[in-house]
Amino acid sequence: MGHPFPIREIARQAGLSEATVDRVLNGRGGVRESTAREVHRAIADLDRQRTQVRLVGRTFMVDIVMQSPERFSTAVRAALEAELPSLHPAVVRSRFHFRETGPAEELVAVLDRIARRGSQGVLLKAPDVPEVTAAVGRLAAAGIPVVTLVTDLPVSARIGHVGSDNRAAGATAAYLMGQWLGDRPGNVLTSLSSGFFRNEEEREMGFRSTMRARHPGRVLVEIAEGQGLDATQYDLVRAALERDPEIRAVYSIGGGNIATLRAFEDAGRECAVFIAHDLDHDNTRLLREHRLSAVLHHDLRHDLREACHMVMRAHGALPPAGPTLPSAIQVVTPYNMPAPAVAG
């Protein structure tokens, strides 16, 4: 395999037995393909994180569980791994559990497996549904602190939340939309990936209330449940454009922006203003190409650093601190894009 990691370390990273890892590494068979992939993924994770082993301090294994399009989970992984070397006094190792969509039961099964196996903490981006809230309670009962990331589960047993003020973000989008549309006619398409993500619901409420107060005559057309995935998003946007010939602008709360723009192009329609969230790799490219008007962004590295600090405090590795403030909302245009992040 050409890696420097002991079987015990790989087994811990993968959450598997040493015997299973040994069978995979030595090609002995009797192991499911999905299990073999977990072993190889664990080795890749260890390789990315190996600069951490030189740091002196307490070691924490943290699980990151997210339901999110690949473009956003990739941004979260990169932001966390860029922060790892600075997380003194502890050494933080991470295991990733990403899925783009699926029933809540599958997400609950992942959380329950972590509760049985053990972890020093869970960073969670999940829909706000009773099944997930109950699973967070079982993690807490097992002594595993949970921090919600980007979207909150406020009635759960989580120890804290990191992210931006989503109502303020929605209100900011409404302010920009009103300024840029001005007196031009046209309806605004608002697009959510799912009504079960609290952050999206709060952004939509902030946007709608501000538009109603500042621009009461502007019609808002909502679509939802595209899961932020291009295949489903395209069909939803195309159908909305066919139903409403007056749609001229988009507030994208949940993503799928490449598909949204393609639906406008295929319908022969212009999108006069397009406001989106998060500088993932899709939105970065679209912004550089001037196909988005602005992206509302917050510093993921800051959020993940704060989340890891919460986990450390829960274990007594850091002194107590005051409440975590929401991340600052950045309005990013093609002319003020931040430089690419550098790890370290």
Side-chain angles (χ1 to χ4, degrees), residues 15 29 37 46 55 68 87 93 96 110 125 154 160 176 220 224 234 240 246 256 268 306 311 316 325:
R37 283 198 301 269
L46 286 168
L55 299 177
S68 174
L87 289 172
R93 288 286 176 79
F96 300 96
V110 172
K125 179 184 182 295
L176 295 172
L220 306 183
Y234 178 88
E246 302 304 316
E306 288 299 310
V311 170
L325 298 176

Side-chain angles (χ1 to χ4, degrees), residues 253-311:
I253 301 171
N257 301 325
I258 289 175
T260 297
L261 287 165
R262 183 161 52 87
F264 270 83
E265 292 165 0
D266 290 351
R269 301 269 287 276
E270 178 194 8
C271 183
V273 181
F274 197 135
I275 299 171
H277 282 271
D278 301 315
L279 275 181
D280 55 42
H281 52 74
D282 282 359
N283 286 344
T284 296
R285 178 168 64 84
L286 293 173
L287 200 57
R288 286 201 180 104
E289 295 171 354
H290 291 246
R291 299 175 72 191
L292 300 180
S293 307
V295 171
L296 302 181
H297 183 64
H298 62 279
D299 187 350
L300 284 175
R301 286 185 61 167
H302 170 271
D303 288 350
L304 289 158
R305 182 169 62 250
E306 288 299 310
C308 290
H309 284 169
M310 287 183 186
V311 170

Side-chain angles (χ1 to χ4, degrees), residues 30-159:
V31 178
R32 290 193 301 270
E33 185 178 345
S34 61
T35 302
R37 283 198 301 269
E38 288 181 20
V39 172
H40 298 314
R41 188 160 51 241
I43 292 170
D45 289 343
L46 286 168
D47 189 58
R48 280 192 303 273
Q49 300 166 27
R50 61 184 169 182
T51 56
Q52 277 287 104
V53 298
R54 294 194 298 270
L55 299 177
V56 176
R58 192 165 164 187
T59 299
F60 290 85
M61 180 64 75
V62 176
D63 289 89
I64 298 85
V65 182
M66 295 178 58
Q67 180 171 313
S68 174
E70 178 273 336
R71 60 182 176 271
F72 186 70
S73 58
T74 297
V76 168
R77 182 197 289 263
L80 176 61
E81 292 182 344
E83 279 300 302
L84 289 181
S86 67
L87 289 172
H88 300 282
V91 176
V92 176
R93 288 286 176 79
S94 50
R95 291 185 292 230
F96 300 96
H97 313 268
F98 295 157
R99 42 173 278 177
E100 291 198 307
T101 187
E105 291 77 11
E106 293 180 4
L107 195 61
V108 167
V110 172
L111 297 174
D112 285 343
R113 189 160 60 247
I114 293 169
R116 292 192 300 270
R117 182 181 62 200
S119 176
Q120 276 74 54
V122 172
L123 312 187
L124 177 63
K125 179 184 182 295
D128 186 8
V129 295
E131 304 96 300
V132 174
T133 296
V136 172
R138 291 191 289 274
L139 285 164
I144 300 172
V146 177
V147 178
T148 53
L149 175 67
V150 179
T151 184
D152 201 6
L153 305 172
V155 300
S156 72
R158 53 88 168 138
I159 63 168

